[in-house]
Amino acid sequence: MLEIEIDGKKLTVPQGSTVMEAAHSVGTHIPHFCYHKKLSIAANCRMCLVEVEKAPKPLPACATPVTDGMKVHTHSELAKKAQQGVMEFLLINHPLDCPICDQGGECQLQDIAVGYGGSSSRYQEEKRVVVGKDMGPLVSAEEMSRCIHCTRCVRFTEEIGGYQEIGMANRGEFSEILPFLGKTVDSEISGNVIDLCPVGALTSKPFRYSTRAWELSRRKSVSPHDGLGSNLIVQVKQNQVMRVLPLENESVNECWISDRDRFSYEGLNSAKRLKAPMIKFDGKWHETDWQTALDYVVKGLKGSSGDRPASEIGVLVSPHSTSEELYLAQKLARGFGIDNIDYRLRRSDFSADAAKTGAEWLGSSIVELAAAKSVLVVGSTQRKEHPLLASRLRQSVKKGTELNVVHVAADDLLTRVHAQLIVAPQALANALAQVLKAVVALKSGETVIDLAGVTVTGDAERIAASLANAESASIVLGNVAQHHPAFASLLAIAQEIARLTGARFGVLSEAGNSVGAELAGVLPARGAFGSTVKAGLDAGAMIAAPRKAYVLLNTDVEFDSYDPQAAVAAMKSAETVIAMTAFVSEGLSDYADVLLPIAPFTETAGSFVNMEGRLQTFNGVVRPLGEARPAWKVLRVLGNMLGVEGFDYTSVEEVRDEWLAGRDVATGLSNVLSAVKAEVTAGAGLTRIGEVPLYQSDAIVRNAASLQATRDAASPDASAAPSVLAAAGVASGDEVVVRQGSGEIKVRLFSDDSLPDGALRLATAHAVTARLGGMFDPIEIKQG
């Protein structure tokens, strides 16, 4: 520890600290622009000049390391004169357009200029003009004349985003911040440069010129889009969400949010919002009142003769719903005698259900995962599934973490990968079994899994050594692994590797409340917190053996199911489909019979449980739109109308208290399987890699106009290894017909060296591919 004195205050700081960090630790403010605690030191704005005793001139606080006995004056005459001089230079070319600038009212330059700027400028020369840049549909760079060259945006894209999308060209007064020629900014976390920009050079394109900062109310919320559970500041004007910003939480999202979290709010105000109950008769949709719609729902559940067996009803719910909604959904279903309820629409393998001992979760805290010395990620398109977690792991690799991958595609993770096994989907369990066999050899251990037919490769040995020799290690299964037909085997093998190496293991929860759905008991054979219930059908079985009636909560089966072809067919064969939804989609309009408008997360109170088991509560930030109602209230009324006991709630807190019943969330978490079985034989043939695109994850995102204009939301093309194209007799870029089951579509097929033989990569959860079958099922290619 070193001793330093700042403005007469004595303190001790760790070796290697800068003057800026020391000042912040005691609450002393030093004006700055280029410095940011999460970025490397640039020291190019010079606004943080301070006086250091015995130094011949003012020194930049951000780049000056602390020495023992140093004395610093941040507000002395010398320091203030230096800071005022820097401010005068910064304002020479800055345009005088504060009245129309989107940054007005929250501009760092504006705030600091009040304290350190002059009332007039001594310079009379013409100000420079910089032409605006096109950075894509999310980030506006139309007023680059405002830029003060702090380079925060440049450093962010390279250091946090993973690759440099923005750079600074030229020198002196000709310096410009710009994207690379002919390219836009396409990172999945690019919107953070808007927050980082201390002036109005980079602003939000969807928010641009819509309102002023001081007209907005700031309210806290939590993101429902992925399992991280990012903390948000939702800004509201006249009962409408206008903007979303990050709420700093070092344990979860640090000070960042993904573009999906930032810009999805546009979907909340889209034209497809359902504003009133609707009933279909004579093949046409008609608006109605709530009482009529609910009477129709009750009749639909009971059947036209009033004696429909509850076993003929299936309940499919979304893990993007709140814990309270999920708890009431399963309580209502079981109270009415319906045992067929599930939230896992994108799952295809439910064989581990009988061996589960608790709710699937990360297996550690997010901070512990990032701090692990060795991490094995199995079946995860990391950057598109969990953008911020992928970024956090990139930072971990810089600090020495060994990142290992077992996956179905050699994606560019924008970081150093210690070892990776890339195989076709049908060989994914076999690839993980190779790692297990190598670990067994290293540890001289034993496993109940039959590994006789498994041949260990060099990459598997490197992964095994990394996990076995690390001080701390974690194994996590991503969305691809969870959707995979061999998920139970993957989980069982991961458990064995973890047992032998001492590593933690778990799953990267797909949705904002996947863990909450497990704890709420939205499973066919487990009630809330694992309580015993009568077993029903899982989501796959409800689709494979269509029910007479379905209740859909917050889900569109054509986008949210493992096999959209079969799911839509099941809906169309049903006598009654009841949909509680915030949006009207083409699919729901086609197969549903009644639509009940429910409130999205911004219009209701509730809670989400993120992947690390953290319960996060929130309140609605705006009133429900039109006749929409919070889903928990709709379920409460339906419970009363159906004669189910225990539906006399007056607040969402009452529902939460009953669900938790004084228990801590952690008591219900466990990835351990009571019986370990695994099938490790690698299959043959051509198999589809059907990932969910970044901006198709849920209904809110699918209705966000700006996100749908990005490169990640483009209509999907197919891609495969060169050998697959050669076997099909097509060239890269040709239009082909791909077929699954009874459905086929035309797409362009491109060659991709990052893919293994025996696989065709074609996204699911998209209108273009909704006629196809299973996400990781066999697929055919025919010449177009």
Side-chain angles (χ1 to χ4, degrees):
M1 299 293 283
L2 302 175
E3 189 173 283
I4 182 176
E5 184 179 300
I6 299 179
D7 295 336
K9 297 178 183 177
K10 289 187 177 181
L11 63 147
T12 56
V13 295
Q15 183 87 30
S17 299
T18 64
V19 172
M20 180 75 80
E21 292 167 341
H24 282 178
S25 71
V26 292
T28 299
H29 175 70
I30 299 176
H32 61 272
F33 293 113
C34 68
Y35 170 80
H36 190 278
K37 63 181 179 180
K38 295 290 185 181
L39 303 177
S40 62
I41 295 169
N44 53 8
C45 78
R46 318 307 283 186
M47 192 64 220
C48 64
L49 291 175
V50 294
E51 180 184 356
V52 178
E53 286 190 8
K54 298 183 181 179
K57 59 183 180 180
L59 300 177
C62 68
T64 302
V66 171
T67 58
D68 203 31
M70 176 183 278
K71 292 185 177 181
V72 178
H73 302 283
T74 66
H75 294 90
S76 66
E77 285 303 314
L78 179 64
K80 288 175 67 175
K81 186 175 180 181
Q83 293 161 356
Q84 288 167 352
V86 169
M87 177 57 68
E88 186 173 16
F89 277 118
L90 288 175
L91 293 176
I92 287 173
N93 280 306
H94 199 79
L96 301 176
D97 62 351
C98 293
I100 65 158
C101 179
D102 259 352
Q103 198 83 348
E106 49 189 10
C107 173
Q108 256 185 282
L109 182 68
Q110 202 175 53
D111 293 342
I112 295 176
V114 171
Y116 299 90
S119 57
S120 61
S121 174
R122 292 182 288 171
Y123 292 85
Q124 302 302 318
E125 291 80 7
E126 187 174 334
K127 291 179 182 287
R128 76 173 194 150
V129 175
V130 180
V131 177
K133 311 295 187 294
D134 179 17
M135 291 193 179
L138 304 179
V139 180
S140 173
E142 293 299 318
E143 288 88 13
M144 292 307 292
S145 297
R146 300 170 183 161
C147 178
I148 60 171
H149 306 142
C150 70
T151 69
R152 279 184 177 181
C153 56
V154 176
R155 285 174 284 147
F156 173 83
T157 58
E158 183 174 8
E159 297 166 15
I160 309 299
Y163 63 109
Q164 196 173 45
E165 292 185 283
I166 302 173
M168 187 162 73
N170 307 319
R171 300 186 67 185
E173 70 169 326
F174 301 106
S175 298
E176 291 187 46
I177 298 291
L178 67 167
F180 289 92
L181 294 177
K183 295 188 177 181
T184 55
V185 178
D186 298 309
S187 166
E188 54 277 359
I189 56 176
S190 65
N192 289 289
V193 300
I194 298 167
D195 301 332
L196 287 172
C197 185
V199 293
L202 300 179
T203 55
S204 168
K205 190 168 280 188
F207 176 75
R208 181 174 157 84
Y209 293 151
S210 59
T211 188
R212 306 313 303 257
W214 54 84
E215 298 176 318
L216 299 171
S217 299
R218 296 166 54 90
R219 293 159 189 174
K220 298 178 182 179
S221 192
V222 179
S223 169
H225 304 304
D226 63 43
L228 192 67
S230 295
N231 291 197
L232 311 176
I233 291 290
V234 181
Q235 297 190 323
V236 175
K237 178 185 177 183
Q238 295 177 352
N239 202 50
Q240 183 174 333
V241 176
M242 304 297 294
R243 185 167 60 167
V244 173
L245 301 174
L247 175 62
E248 185 170 354
N249 186 334
E250 280 296 314
S251 299
V252 180
N253 56 299
E254 301 176 277
C255 56
W256 317 117
I257 54 173
S258 68
D259 289 354
R260 179 166 56 186
D261 297 333
R262 183 182 299 273
F263 298 106
S264 62
Y265 73 88
E266 285 189 296
L268 302 169
N269 307 318
S270 79
K272 292 188 177 180
R273 277 295 303 273
L274 179 63
K275 299 178 183 178
M278 300 185 73
I279 295 176
K280 183 193 290 183
F281 57 90
D282 295 334
K284 295 181 180 180
W285 284 100
H286 303 270
E287 283 193 7
T288 186
D289 59 83
W290 269 104
Q291 187 60 51
T292 302
L294 292 174
D295 287 341
Y296 186 96
V297 169
V298 170
K299 184 178 179 181
L301 291 175
K302 292 181 176 180
S304 55
S305 59
D307 58 355
R308 170 172 288 153
S311 61
E312 290 296 331
I313 303 172
V315 181
L316 299 170
V317 305
S318 168
H320 298 280
S321 304
T322 69
S323 304
E324 294 76 14
E325 293 166 356
L326 295 168
Y327 173 74
L328 285 188
Q330 66 86 29
K331 181 180 179 181
L332 174 62
R334 292 188 165 110
F336 190 62
I338 303 170
D339 303 308
N340 311 319
I341 181 168
D342 207 346
Y343 77 94
R344 301 166 298 175
L345 279 75
R346 290 188 180 133
R347 289 275 177 94
S348 57
D349 182 10
F350 304 90
S351 58
D353 282 9
K356 288 175 66 170
T357 57
E360 296 165 6
W361 69 299
L362 184 61
S364 68
S365 71
I366 293 164
V367 172
E368 287 171 335
L369 174 65
K373 297 301 181 183
S374 177
V375 176
L376 171 59
V377 182
V378 182
S380 174
T381 311
Q382 294 179 43
R383 289 172 49 205
K384 307 305 178 184
E385 292 177 6
H386 299 92
L388 289 183
L389 191 61
S391 174
R392 197 186 272 255
L393 287 176
R394 284 197 293 270
Q395 308 313 309
S396 299
V397 170
K398 293 178 185 178
K399 298 173 184 176
T401 294
E402 292 179 348
L403 178 62
N404 304 284
V405 174
V406 175
H407 193 34
V408 295
D411 293 320
D412 185 1
L413 301 181
L414 308 177
T415 190
R416 184 178 66 257
V417 177
H418 177 259
Q420 64 178 357
L421 265 174
I422 305 302
V423 297
Q426 59 269 35
L428 191 60
N430 181 273
L432 192 59
Q434 291 181 39
V435 178
L436 174 58
K437 191 167 185 177
V439 167
V440 169
L442 278 173
K443 293 291 187 179
S444 300
E446 295 181 352
T447 177
V448 297
I449 296 175
D450 183 6
L451 302 173
V454 176
T455 302
V456 179
T457 61
D459 286 323
E461 290 177 340
R462 291 189 65 203
I463 295 171
S466 175
L467 294 171
N469 298 329
E471 294 177 14
S472 58
S474 286
I475 306 165
V476 290
L477 277 61
N479 292 4
V480 169
Q482 292 169 61
H483 301 158
H484 195 279
F487 172 60
S489 294
L490 292 169
L491 193 59
I493 297 168
Q495 176 174 320
E496 285 293 274
I497 296 173
R499 179 180 63 81
L500 291 167
T501 61
R504 301 182 180 96
F505 81 103
V507 299
L508 301 170
S509 304
E510 178 183 7
N513 206 25
S514 298
V515 179
E518 297 248 335
L519 294 172
V522 188
L523 295 165
R526 292 171 65 86
F529 282 86
S531 58
T532 303
V533 295
K534 182 180 177 183
L537 299 179
D538 56 54
M542 280 186 257
I543 298 301
R547 305 289 91 192
K548 294 288 182 64
Y550 288 96
V551 179
L552 307 179
L553 174 60
N554 217 10
T555 187
D556 303 305
V557 297
E558 67 275 21
F559 298 128
D560 299 332
S561 300
Y562 176 82
D563 187 338
Q565 184 184 115
V568 171
M571 296 302 118
K572 289 185 175 180
S573 70
E575 295 174 2
T576 302
V577 176
I578 300 157
M580 289 183 273
T581 178
F583 300 90
V584 182
S585 67
E586 290 185 15
L588 287 174
S589 297
D590 183 28
Y591 55 71
D593 297 290
V594 57
L595 300 177
L596 303 180
I598 59 172
F601 78 105
T602 52
E603 299 171 14
T604 185
S607 64
F608 294 139
V609 183
N610 75 348
M611 64 172 69
E612 65 178 356
R614 180 187 295 261
L615 178 69
Q616 301 188 106
T617 61
F618 55 90
N619 292 313
V621 299
V622 292
R623 296 187 302 276
L625 187 65
E627 292 297 312
R629 296 291 182 268
W632 74 267
K633 290 187 177 181
V634 177
L635 292 165
R636 179 196 62 190
V637 174
L638 279 174
N640 290 326
M641 295 177 70
L642 290 168
V644 180
E645 293 184 2
F647 275 78
D648 299 321
Y649 308 102
T650 58
S651 70
V652 75
E653 287 78 16
E654 287 184 19
V655 181
R656 187 182 308 138
D657 289 344
E658 180 178 297
W659 163 51
L660 294 174
R663 292 170 292 212
D664 185 81
V665 165
T667 62
L669 305 177
S670 176
N671 295 308
V672 175
L673 300 179
S674 59
V676 179
K677 297 179 182 179
E679 175 60 54
V680 298
T681 304
L686 185 66
T687 303
R688 179 182 179 187
I689 301 174
E691 300 132 307
V692 178
L694 178 62
Y695 299 135
Q696 293 292 122
S697 59
D698 59 85
I700 297 175
V701 174
R702 291 193 288 265
N703 286 285
S706 294
L707 291 179
Q708 296 307 313
T710 62
R711 188 177 67 178
D712 276 310
S715 182
D717 294 314
S719 56
S723 59
V724 175
L725 273 71
V730 297
S732 183
D734 284 355
E735 187 174 68
V736 299
V737 174
V738 294
R739 182 179 181 85
Q740 278 188 308
S742 61
E744 60 180 40
I745 62 171
K746 286 188 175 183
V747 292
R748 292 202 173 276
L749 177 60
F750 293 91
S751 177
D752 187 346
D753 292 330
S754 72
L755 295 174
D757 292 339
L760 177 79
R761 195 175 206 173
L762 181 59
T764 187
H766 197 283
V768 171
T769 57
R771 294 198 301 275
L772 297 180
M775 298 161 70
F776 297 95
D777 286 353
I779 194 168
E780 301 174 59
I781 302 175
K782 299 190 294 184
Q783 293 186 7

